[in-house]
Amino acid sequence: MKILIGADKGGFAVKEAISEHLRAQNIEFEDVGTLSLDAPVTFTEIASTAGRQISAGKASRAILVCGTGMGMAITANKFKGVYAAVVESQYAAAYCRRINDANVLCMGGFIVGPTMACEITDTFLNTEFVQDFPRWRVDFLNSQMAKLNEIEERNFK
């Protein structure tokens, strides 16, 4: 699984904490910026870079941080095959994966501190779509994903 990580100025400190946390676990990732507060990159540029790579199949997940997480999510969701969710808790991280198969985690550096962001990241990376659900719910969620794929195909022609 190729993981991307990125942030604008508002999410830089949290992104750096997550990067260190992932390195400590020997989890490989690609940092798509901002690489220094001396040269900040906008949320639209960072989320577009991640969105393009996921849409092209060059990465499977991304973790994006801006001030609120919302700008990153709005931008990333402009790309086909990207399912970005703004998350502020471990519970939301688990359920954005289990129910919605989100592949982009967006957090707010003004909202979530480094420790919580690392815990949310772990939950996001270690939870799979329909994980631990009964068969009837797996079938239902798979049918909903098929409908979402049909909507996506119509809208991203």
Side-chain angles (χ1 to χ4, degrees):
M1 165 180 13
K2 181 174 180 182
I3 301 167
L4 306 173
I5 186 167
D8 67 2
K9 186 176 180 179
F12 183 77
V14 168
K15 176 192 71 96
E16 291 298 296
I18 294 168
S19 296
E20 185 60 33
H21 180 70
L22 295 176
R23 274 190 213 96
Q25 297 179 70
N26 293 315
I27 297 173
E28 291 186 36
F29 62 92
E30 178 184 343
D31 190 332
V32 296
T34 291
L35 300 176
S36 163
L37 285 177
D38 294 330
V41 182
T42 66
F43 71 87
T44 54
E45 292 175 81
I46 297 297
S48 292
T49 297
R52 269 192 294 282
Q53 286 196 42
I54 288 175
S55 187
K58 295 178 181 176
S60 55
R61 302 243 185 113
I63 302 158
L64 304 176
V65 190
C66 63
T68 63
M70 293 175 206
M72 290 288 194
I74 290 167
T75 305
N77 279 322
K78 301 296 183 199
F79 294 86
K80 184 177 180 179
V82 173
Y83 303 105
V86 179
V87 171
E88 297 174 355
S89 70
Q90 285 179 275
Y91 182 86
Y95 277 79
C96 81
R97 291 284 308 130
R98 289 178 77 197
I99 292 175
N100 303 113
D101 203 16
N103 53 10
V104 178
L105 170 64
C106 299
M107 291 182 280
F110 301 157
I111 299 166
V112 177
T115 300
M116 184 178 285
C118 291
E119 292 170 358
I120 289 169
T121 295
D122 288 344
T123 300
F124 178 78
L125 294 177
N126 293 309
T127 304
E128 295 302 325
F129 180 54
V130 301
Q131 180 177 317
D132 300 326
F133 282 142
R135 172 57 36 202
W136 69 266
R137 196 164 189 189
V138 169
D139 293 343
F140 171 76
L141 290 170
N142 280 322
S143 74
Q144 295 307 293
M145 288 305 292
K147 288 179 183 180
L148 284 174
N149 287 330
E150 289 172 14
I151 292 167
E152 190 175 55
E153 286 301 318
R154 283 195 306 270
N155 291 330
F156 280 100
K157 286 186 178 184

